[in-house]
């Protein structure tokens, strides 16, 4: 038979275990931000890499009607191949999510910057380099996935010559104060073949071959431009979503 002392101890232990839980329930108050958010729009995702329902399809494999400068580009077999000059979208964009697929020539010719060179220019200004960087050395801030002359990719996720590859890019345009000074630099995140290679990078300015990066306070949006650099590079399945912050 348990002693009185044991019974008291058991009772105290039970009270100690139960009471904080009960108090906790009584005293918890949910915090609410007070912001009355708008209902997020419903978007139907695409299967695989197909465009989601709210995307602007820039090239679906059949025509380049949404692009300028494509007179000598060739559209066949569901892709568009560079030729004669850069291709530039007729519409202009600022903050966006861009999906694009590309393939450098399967026949390997040239080396360094001369091998499968093209580029995806955001706002017609900031180049995400396209290059055959599969066993092809060049300067690191000029290899595939580099922000040209600013930042190498975090890793080299390149597939081989002729293989289809993808960039998924999240871009935020620069913002300027009324006096033209930079308020917020442009930022870019890039997934190359689903591998993160640029992580919310703050851009230093544009990406010219001939000089240091600079911002132009008059440019806060612009077209997407695909570079013709003398190499035959193929593109397909290009779509874009314009981004805006959630409404309250
Ligand atoms: Mg290039």
């Amino acid at each position: 038979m348990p002693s009185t002392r044991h019974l008291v101890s058991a009772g105290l232990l039970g009270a100690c275990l139960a009471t904080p839980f009960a108090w906790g329930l009584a005293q918890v108050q949910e915090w609410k931000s007070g912001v009355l958010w708008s209902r997020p729009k419903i978007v139907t995702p695409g299967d695989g890499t197909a465009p989601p329902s709210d995307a602007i399809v820039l090239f679906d494999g059949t025509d380049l009607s949404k692009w300028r400068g494509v007179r000598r580009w060739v559209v066949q077999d569901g892709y568009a191949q560079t030729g004669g000059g850069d291709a530039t979208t007729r519409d202009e964009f600022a903050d966006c999510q861009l999906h694009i697929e590309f393939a450098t020539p399967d026949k390997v010719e040239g080396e360094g910057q001369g091998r499968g060179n093209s580029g995806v220019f955001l706002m017609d200004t900031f180049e995400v380099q396209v290059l055959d960087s599969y066993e092809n050395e060049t300067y690191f801030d000029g290899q595939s996935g580099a922000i040209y002359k600013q930042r190498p990719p975090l890793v080299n996720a390149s597939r081989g010559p002729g293989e289809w590859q993808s960039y998924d890019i999240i871009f935020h345009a620069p913002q300027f104060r009324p006096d033209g000074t930079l308020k917020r630099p442009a930022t870019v995140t890039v997934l190359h073949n689903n591998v993160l290679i640029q992580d919310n990078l703050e851009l230093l300015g544009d990406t010219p071959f001939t000089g240091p990066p600079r911002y132009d306070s008059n440019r806060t949006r612009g077209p997407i431009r695909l570079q013709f650099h003398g190499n035959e590079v193929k593109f397909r399945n290009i779509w874009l979503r314009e981004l805006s912050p959630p409404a309250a």
Side-chain angles (χ1 to χ4, degrees):
M1 181 178 167
S3 69
T4 305
R5 191 176 155 204
H6 280 139
L7 283 174
V8 169
S9 297
L12 280 174
L13 179 63
C16 287
L17 285 174
T19 305
F21 183 65
W23 280 3
L25 276 181
Q27 292 186 340
V28 162
Q29 285 213 325
E30 181 186 4
W31 178 83
K32 293 193 175 185
S33 71
V35 180
L36 299 175
W37 296 105
S38 296
R39 182 189 301 276
K41 191 173 68 172
I42 292 172
V43 170
T44 306
D47 291 332
T49 59
S53 60
D54 64 344
I56 298 167
V57 176
L58 296 174
F59 176 59
D60 69 356
T62 59
D63 75 83
L64 285 168
S65 58
K66 292 191 175 160
W67 301 78
R68 304 177 200 275
V70 292
R71 195 168 54 85
R72 293 175 59 192
W73 285 52
V74 175
V75 177
Q76 60 185 16
D77 300 331
Y79 64 79
Q81 182 170 290
T82 56
D86 293 1
T88 306
T89 57
R90 296 179 186 280
D91 290 332
E92 297 192 341
F93 309 99
D95 297 359
C96 63
Q97 172 187 352
L98 175 67
H99 174 87
I100 187 164
E101 298 173 23
F102 63 93
T104 60
D106 51 8
K107 184 180 177 190
V108 173
E109 291 179 326
E111 58 184 336
Q113 292 290 303
R115 197 166 125 182
N117 196 332
S118 181
V120 179
F121 282 75
L122 302 153
M123 258 178 59
D124 198 26
T125 302
F126 310 101
E127 183 183 13
V128 181
Q129 174 71 302
V130 169
L131 195 74
D132 177 359
S133 285
Y134 185 83
E135 298 179 351
N136 177 37
E137 286 289 314
T138 187
Y139 43 97
F140 303 132
D141 56 5
Q143 71 180 66
S144 207
I147 305 306
Y148 188 68
K149 294 272 181 84
Q150 286 192 33
R151 185 67 75 97
L154 294 169
V155 294
N156 181 351
S158 295
R159 294 200 172 109
E163 292 189 59
W164 282 104
Q165 311 192 50
S166 62
Y167 283 155
D168 287 280
I169 298 171
I170 297 165
F171 172 74
H172 288 278
Q175 295 179 358
F176 300 93
R177 299 184 187 90
D179 66 0
T181 56
L182 186 65
K183 179 181 173 190
R184 201 190 76 176
T187 59
V188 67
T189 295
V190 182
L191 300 173
H192 183 187
N193 300 324
N194 302 322
V195 177
L196 181 68
I197 60 163
Q198 300 289 353
D199 185 5
N200 197 32
L201 179 71
E202 293 188 349
L203 302 184
L204 303 172
D206 60 0
T207 56
F209 178 70
T210 51
R214 288 195 178 85
Y215 276 110
D216 176 354
S217 61
N218 294 312
R219 304 200 71 168
T220 53
R221 59 195 295 112
I224 304 295
R225 175 160 58 93
L226 304 180
Q227 185 184 49
F228 174 61
H229 200 281
N231 303 139
E232 293 180 344
V233 176
K234 297 169 183 168
F235 290 94
R236 71 179 185 189
N237 193 21
I238 308 172
W239 52 262
L240 176 149
R241 298 180 60 246
E242 294 186 291
L243 302 178
S244 54

